[in-house]
Amino acid sequence: MYDIAVIGAGPAGCTAAKRLSERGAHVLLLEKMKIPRYKSCSGVLIKKSMNLVREYFGKDVPESVMCTPTDNRGMIFTTDKGEEYRFEQEGLNVWRSSFDAWLAEQAAEVGAKLRDENAVLSCVEDENCVRLTVHGKDTYTEESRYVIDCEGVCGVVKRKLTGEIKNYITTYQTFNLGNIELDPHYFYAYLQPELSGYDAWFNVKDDMLLLGVSAKKADDIQGYYKKFTEFMKQNHGLRITEELKDDKWLMPQIVPGCPVNFGVGRILFAGECAGFLNPMGEGISAGMESGCAAADAVFNNFGNTEKIYDEYKSQTKLLREYMLRQWSFVGNLSGTFAEHTCRKNVQL
């Protein structure tokens, strides 16, 4: 019988597992993919994420997880009117596979029992515990007093528990060799509706040029990608000599008010699974903060589910407000996100 089972070894799950384990809880950390796990992501740690790593993990992000250029100097937005907005800020350029693996290692070092390639198929709550059905080399059952579900947007546990049907954004990006007339130390976001159905982006990792687009309809992806690459060629001198690989991913479509689902009974949700996501897919800082808040709420109120949720909601209030401000900011830059500027939709 574990005190807490954490599902998902991303920033939210690893933060929760480490936080609980170092306080003496008996923690099981389950990850369905083999670690290091791949995730399609910008891999940019904003200053807030860097500070949270120091606060929660007691050390700086190691150079071993970084890629070149190692320092990110901020984001440059191009609005739907073609105007440029520069947001200068200290940051780091990392590979998510290596970064997430390092976080999982930190959780395991303080006592969390880490199992990768073990997918949770379902969680069923009994009177005093939760039974988890897990598939690894075979299918087996574990029991835990509480569960913190950090599976992300595609998690099966939350969907089975709530029946919730989300609207997803499909992302598509390519890794290329070539040249471009842009400073590689910045992450570039393009909000013109003719280039994507949501947003388009460019950044550099280990001399590879990453070009991405996203859309509400997956069938629109290739059309948008062609328009975006043509735009980059005409406006920034993009020249691709070789396309190395491509990938697709899903992220949740955030609706006005940024509603959050904190959980069901003894099963709490954190990170993207709960609905914590900042614009341009920045989910690392939100994942770490919500994972920590969920962990503290469970540990501080063990045995009193009502108080757990009261504390969890209270401890994430500032995070919710931060999300709302970020989405409102992007809403002022592009009509695609204009609905987020309507403050009457705020649900705190």
Side-chain angles (χ1 to χ4, degrees), residues 27 42 80 152 170 179 183 207-208 229 257 269 302 324 330 337:
V27 178
S42 70
D80 57 3
T170 300
N179 304 98
D183 188 333
D207 297 323
M208 291 183 288
T229 53
F269 306 138
F302 206 83
L324 288 162
V330 174
F337 303 97

Side-chain angles (χ1 to χ4, degrees), residues 6-23:
V6 179
I7 307 173
C14 291
T15 301
K18 181 181 184 295
R19 188 83 167 181
L20 289 161
S21 296
E22 64 189 0
R23 298 181 72 181

Side-chain angles (χ1 to χ4, degrees), residues 2 169 209:
Y2 290 91
I169 301 299
L209 311 181

Side-chain angles (χ1 to χ4, degrees), residues 41-55:
C41 177
S42 70
V44 173
L45 301 186
I46 62 174
K47 186 175 182 181
K48 184 177 183 182
S49 298
M50 295 165 61
N51 292 338
L52 290 173
V53 169
R54 294 188 191 103
E55 179 181 351

Side-chain angles (χ1 to χ4, degrees), residues 292-313:
C292 177
D296 285 352
V298 172
F299 190 87
N300 294 338
N301 303 281
F302 206 83
N304 190 322
T305 304
E306 184 177 346
K307 286 188 176 180
I308 287 173
Y309 280 99
D310 287 344
E311 179 172 331
Y312 187 22
K313 293 175 183 179

Side-chain angles (χ1 to χ4, degrees), residues 19-91:
R19 188 83 167 181
L20 289 161
S21 296
E22 64 189 0
R23 298 181 72 181
H26 189 206
V27 178
L28 174 63
L29 176 57
L30 295 163
E31 168 55 47
K32 68 180 179 180
M33 299 173 69
K34 182 176 177 59
I35 295 176
R37 64 177 202 167
Y38 176 75
K39 180 171 183 178
S40 178
C41 177
S42 70
V44 173
L45 301 186
I46 62 174
K47 186 175 182 181
K48 184 177 183 182
S49 298
M50 295 165 61
N51 292 338
L52 290 173
V53 169
R54 294 188 191 103
E55 179 181 351
Y56 299 151
F57 292 83
K59 55 187 75 173
D60 288 327
V61 177
E63 291 186 6
S64 60
V65 310
M66 299 179 195
C67 51
T68 56
T70 57
D71 61 317
N72 176 268
R73 298 172 185 172
M75 296 183 68
I76 299 178
F77 292 90
T78 300
T79 73
D80 57 3
K81 296 180 177 61
E83 300 169 345
E84 189 177 278
Y85 181 92
R86 300 175 68 90
F87 183 67
E88 305 279 348
Q89 187 186 73
E90 176 187 4

Side-chain angles (χ1 to χ4, degrees), residues 70-289:
T70 57
D71 61 317
N72 176 268
R73 298 172 185 172
M75 296 183 68
I76 299 178
F77 292 90
T78 300
T79 73
D80 57 3
K81 296 180 177 61
E83 300 169 345
E84 189 177 278
Y85 181 92
R86 300 175 68 90
F87 183 67
E88 305 279 348
Q89 187 186 73
E90 176 187 4
L92 287 175
N93 198 7
V94 304
W95 287 113
R96 273 296 299 274
S97 55
S98 300
F99 177 68
D100 287 7
W102 178 74
L103 295 179
E105 179 184 304
Q106 305 308 301
E109 284 184 358
V110 294
K113 187 170 184 179
L114 172 63
R115 294 185 197 154
D116 62 352
E117 296 186 279
N118 278 254
V120 178
L121 305 179
S122 65
C123 291
V124 178
E125 185 176 351
D126 282 341
E127 185 177 352
N128 295 310
C129 72
V130 179
R131 292 198 316 275
L132 297 87
T133 301
V134 186
H135 181 72
K137 292 182 178 179
D138 52 18
T139 301
Y140 62 96
T141 300
E142 291 287 5
E143 293 186 345
S144 179
R145 297 296 187 192
Y146 291 93
V147 170
I148 301 178
D149 185 359
C150 308
E151 292 178 284
V153 65
C154 299
V156 300
V157 171
K158 180 186 176 184
R159 189 164 65 247
K160 288 182 177 180
L161 287 171
T162 66
E164 182 177 285
I165 300 176
K166 274 189 171 293
N167 293 320
Y168 298 111
I169 301 299
T170 300
T171 71
Y172 173 77
Q173 68 176 356
T174 59
F175 295 71
N176 309 277
L177 297 180
N179 304 98
I180 197 167
E181 297 165 0
L182 288 173
D183 188 333
H185 294 90
Y186 291 86
F187 181 89
Y188 298 83
Y190 299 88
L191 305 179
Q192 300 98 308
E194 65 270 20
L195 301 181
S196 76
Y198 211 63
D199 68 320
W201 62 90
F202 169 79
N203 65 317
V204 177
K205 304 182 87 65
D206 284 346
D207 297 323
M208 291 183 288
L209 311 181
L210 275 63
L211 296 151
V213 296
S214 56
K216 297 177 182 179
K217 296 180 180 179
D219 291 343
D220 294 338
I221 283 290
Q222 290 303 321
Y224 280 130
Y225 181 76
K226 183 178 179 180
K227 292 178 181 178
F228 180 51
T229 53
E230 287 300 317
F231 170 85
M232 297 298 277
K233 289 175 184 178
Q234 294 175 14
N235 291 273
H236 301 296
L238 171 67
R239 185 174 70 89
I240 295 176
T241 57
E242 182 182 358
E243 182 178 309
L244 301 175
K245 63 177 181 176
D246 62 5
D247 60 34
K248 287 185 178 181
W249 207 259
L250 293 176
M251 66 179 183
Q253 181 180 343
I254 302 298
V255 300
C258 302
V260 170
N261 189 332
F262 291 94
V264 178
R266 291 175 173 266
I267 304 161
L268 281 70
F269 306 138
E272 283 185 47
C273 181
F276 291 107
L277 182 67
N278 298 317
M280 307 304 110
E282 197 289 300
I284 295 175
S285 66
M288 295 178 71
E289 277 195 271

